[in-house]
Amino acid sequence: MALKPEPTAPFHSVQYALRVLETVARHADGVSDVQIARETGLPAGHLAHMLAMLRREGYVSQVADGAYVVGESLVLLGSGGGREEALRDKLQRTLVELRDSVGAAVYISRYIDGEVKILHYADGPRAPKVNEWAEFRRTAHASAVGKCLLAQLDHDGRMDHLSRHKTARLTSRTITNEKVLFHKLDSQPPTVPMLDLQEYAVGTVCAAVPITAGSTVGCLALSLPLEHAHRLRQAADTLNRRAAPVLLSLTL
């Protein structure tokens, strides 16, 4: 399986974040934002937003004199035996915060061994998750999650997937023609959320954004009942802005 060589906005943000974290880690006694800017080459405005995100996520802390040091989350994710549990806890906390921020159920999905897999999710009474009435792994052509993952594969990877999972019609809006589906995937800008407007299930709308780490294809997604469809675009934009912290956790 090969990936399409299209970097996403979260990818660029994570690259910048890693540069900042590497700089902070080199200065065990703390480092000022001025010094971080000097060593990373990031503009002051961009760096301020980046440091605010890293503080919010617990990757850096600010001490009494204003200097930045390595934060608790980074220490936990860097610890040997407890890394997997720390990562799960960190991702779940991030998803719960994101669920409350966008007012929707949220999901992390990855394409593993040729299959769509939902690895983590956060839902609640006011943010119900999608009813999986048809297996997600068999309906990638219809869901926002599936389309977002397929969009990150090359032509052969998509053909391999669809040779195993046919494009069945799930609703009147489902795209079943492979050429039409591929055209839609290829015309989708990687920085714009992928939408599912009742293609997977009547009464549900969804959005997904790519979070590709190395050779692993992934996405961050949300779902809303149809009566909240008017909030989908705004929620999707928030999801896109908040994708970087999730991708950063997966990358570290």
Side-chain angles (χ1 to χ4, degrees):
M1 180 189 70
L3 307 186
K4 293 177 68 180
E6 293 180 334
T8 63
F11 173 83
H12 287 307
S13 294
V14 166
Q15 295 300 100
Y16 297 143
L18 291 174
R19 284 160 60 182
V20 172
L21 291 177
E22 289 169 357
T23 301
V24 173
R26 283 198 300 268
H27 297 270
D29 297 326
V31 58
S32 69
D33 53 355
V34 174
Q35 184 64 26
I36 295 173
R38 183 178 298 119
E39 294 189 25
T40 61
L42 294 178
H46 192 144
L47 179 60
H49 288 296
M50 184 64 64
L51 287 171
M53 182 273 283
L54 293 174
R55 285 184 62 190
R56 184 176 66 247
E57 298 296 325
Y59 292 121
V60 300
S61 297
Q62 201 168 13
V63 294
D65 63 356
Y68 290 89
V69 296
V70 170
E72 181 181 359
S73 292
L74 190 59
V75 173
L76 289 174
L77 290 179
S79 60
R83 185 187 184 284
E84 290 302 318
E85 183 178 355
L87 176 59
R88 284 195 301 271
D89 290 345
K90 174 62 178 168
L91 288 174
Q92 195 60 38
R93 288 197 303 272
T94 299
L95 288 182
V96 168
E97 292 171 1
L98 185 55
R99 176 201 66 193
D100 294 341
S101 176
V102 300
V106 291
Y107 316 78
I108 293 176
S109 178
R110 281 189 163 182
Y111 195 74
I112 302 174
D113 297 330
E115 301 293 352
V116 173
K117 297 187 178 182
I118 306 292
L119 300 183
H120 308 273
Y121 69 90
D123 64 345
R126 296 184 178 181
K129 62 183 175 64
V130 174
N131 174 33
E132 189 179 354
W133 74 277
E135 286 184 291
F136 291 140
R137 70 187 186 92
R138 297 185 182 278
T139 55
H141 64 290
S143 69
V145 163
K147 289 187 293 180
C148 189
L149 297 176
L150 291 177
Q152 298 174 64
L153 305 183
D154 64 8
H155 180 81
D156 290 343
R158 295 174 189 171
M159 290 301 296
D160 173 71
H161 183 89
L162 296 182
S163 71
R164 292 178 288 109
H165 303 299
K166 302 303 182 183
T167 55
R169 184 173 298 283
L170 306 179
T171 77
S172 62
R173 294 174 176 265
T174 305
I175 297 174
T176 57
N177 183 290
E178 291 182 4
K179 290 184 178 180
V180 174
L181 176 64
F182 285 13
H183 175 73
K184 182 177 179 63
L185 298 180
D186 287 332
S187 61
Q188 176 81 10
T191 55
V192 175
M194 183 74 72
L195 302 181
D196 159 19
L197 304 177
Q198 300 190 89
E199 295 171 53
Y200 170 77
V202 174
T204 301
V205 294
C206 307
V209 295
I211 48 171
T212 303
S215 60
T216 303
V217 171
C219 74
L220 180 64
L222 64 83
S223 65
L224 287 167
L226 183 60
E227 56 265 32
H228 295 290
H230 62 282
R231 297 199 292 110
L232 181 62
R233 296 283 181 176
Q234 183 177 357
D237 288 342
T238 301
L239 187 79
N240 208 9
R241 291 195 303 270
R242 295 288 299 275
V246 177
L247 179 53
L248 183 58
S249 296
L250 295 171
T251 304
L252 289 171

